[in-house]
Amino acid sequence: MILSGDRESEVVYLASEVGITEALFGKSPEEKVAIVKKEAKLAPTMFLGDGINDAPAMQAATVGIAFGQNSDITAEAAHAVVLDPSLRKVDELIHIGRRMKRIALQSAVGGMALSMIGMLLAATGYLPPITGAVAQEIIDIAAVMNALRVALPGKDLQSDDL
């Protein structure tokens, strides 16, 4: 859905360009907040805004993204700021966020699973205390090293259809 305060012709044109079927135009900041709150109750939402009047709707959304560098107020209200006003950069941000979440979950769950196995081995007497302590340190280092992968450049930072 595109939700905008702009004129119908601009909003409908943009919606058709990016393949969005529902376009709401000419909405006031208050109407935007009400619509975003309603949609946020149904599913996770992302609100992308470029002006001061978009700040309240950004805060009402699951994720608010400030588009461009027009306002400090907008940037402060957003969860993320995309400085280059390009939808490709927003797509890239989404891919980076998904990659970060995937790597963080791998590191956390993998580290906890290995620690649980170590604790079970220690509880049953198969892992002596000193060896268990060393194994725990190795597990911690492995989890941190895996998490550091997030700093490496990703391969798929944009959707193919953009």
Side-chain angles (χ1 to χ4, degrees), residues 97-116:
R98 287 179 179 158
R99 181 172 179 264
M100 288 176 69
K101 181 180 177 182
R102 185 176 61 250
I103 290 172
L105 283 172
Q106 287 172 354
S107 296
V109 173
M112 287 189 288
L114 290 172
S115 293
M116 293 292 269

Side-chain angles (χ1 to χ4, degrees), residues 1-128:
M1 164 191 310
I2 289 183
L3 172 59
S4 176
D6 293 334
R7 293 181 302 237
E8 178 180 8
S9 60
E10 296 166 348
V11 177
V12 170
Y13 173 76
L14 178 60
S16 68
E17 285 293 305
V18 295
I20 295 175
T21 57
E22 189 174 355
L24 304 177
F25 50 88
K27 300 298 181 188
S28 69
E30 294 81 13
E31 290 172 314
K32 289 179 190 178
V33 170
I35 293 167
V36 170
K37 283 183 178 180
K38 178 183 160 217
E39 293 298 324
K41 287 181 183 176
L42 303 173
T45 58
M46 178 178 74
F47 189 89
L48 174 66
D50 65 350
I52 293 172
N53 62 341
D54 293 324
M58 275 186 228
Q59 289 188 321
T62 309
V63 175
I65 300 175
F67 199 51
Q69 12 184 4
N70 296 337
S71 165
D72 289 340
I73 294 170
T74 307
E76 195 66 34
H79 297 99
V81 178
V82 176
L83 297 177
D84 182 9
S86 160
L87 289 178
R88 288 190 191 281
K89 292 297 181 182
V90 174
D91 184 50
E92 189 175 308
L93 174 69
I94 292 167
H95 281 79
I96 289 169
R98 287 179 179 158
R99 181 172 179 264
M100 288 176 69
K101 181 180 177 182
R102 185 176 61 250
I103 290 172
L105 283 172
Q106 287 172 354
S107 296
V109 173
M112 287 189 288
L114 290 172
S115 293
M116 293 292 269
I117 291 168
M119 285 188 267
L120 288 173
L121 290 173
T124 57
Y126 290 110
L127 192 61

